[in-house]
Amino acid sequence: MTNDGDEAAVAEVMALEAQRCRAISDQDWAVLSEMLSDELTHTHITGVTQDKATYLEHVRKTSRRTERRNVRVRIFGDTAVVTGPQVNFVESDGETTEVAIESLQVWTRAAGHWRLVAFASSGQRPG
């Protein structure tokens, strides 16, 4: 079932994930919005689940830098499952807080374009 050998699709999704992190970090909301499916479900480590519009409103409120490390991409036809650590450096009142999580993403490809349809994070990882 898993097609880790689909190197082109893996590379494309990894590049999109890097672009997603850059868009969040650079506050490029147009690029971020384009990458997200209209059916997005985004679940935070707090358990709060948001749709696309609510998520975009949420992420705009606080400056942050987002990084991914040791990402694994598995391809299942027109679906990609992305797992691995994510670190958000959130700025508030002149202070930066590091929030390290494990994340699970589901991307789907339709009409030749990948879109993020689901994001879930679990447990804050220590530093």
Side-chain angles (χ1 to χ4, degrees):
M1 300 268 186
T2 300
N3 187 359
D4 286 308
D6 190 342
E7 293 175 22
V10 168
E12 190 174 0
V13 171
M14 293 215 30
L16 286 168
E17 179 55 8
Q19 183 180 13
R20 184 189 71 86
C21 291
R22 275 192 307 276
I24 292 169
S25 299
D26 295 343
Q27 299 180 346
D28 191 340
W29 310 128
V31 167
L32 181 62
S33 181
E34 180 65 25
M35 302 177 83
L36 306 177
S37 167
D38 289 340
E39 292 81 29
L40 175 72
T41 300
H42 190 285
T43 303
H44 298 271
I45 61 172
T46 60
V48 171
T49 299
Q50 300 172 323
D51 63 12
K52 180 179 178 176
T54 307
Y55 169 71
L56 285 170
E57 181 182 323
H58 166 81
V59 78
R60 284 183 176 117
K61 289 181 182 176
T62 308
S63 253
R64 72 189 68 221
R65 188 176 81 250
T66 299
E67 297 178 1
R68 293 302 303 265
R69 301 172 182 160
N70 302 317
V71 174
R72 180 174 181 208
V73 177
R74 292 173 289 157
I75 304 296
F76 302 87
D78 285 330
T79 301
V81 175
V82 180
T83 55
Q86 175 175 308
V87 181
N88 294 310
F89 298 90
V90 181
E91 304 204 11
S92 180
D93 298 325
E95 299 288 323
T96 301
T97 303
E98 181 177 327
V99 181
I101 61 172
E102 285 294 321
S103 72
L104 167 68
Q105 297 171 312
V106 179
W107 294 73
T108 59
R109 179 173 44 196
H113 299 283
W114 290 98
R115 297 285 183 269
L116 180 61
V117 296
F119 182 101
S121 52
S122 64
Q124 186 169 338
R125 295 168 53 102

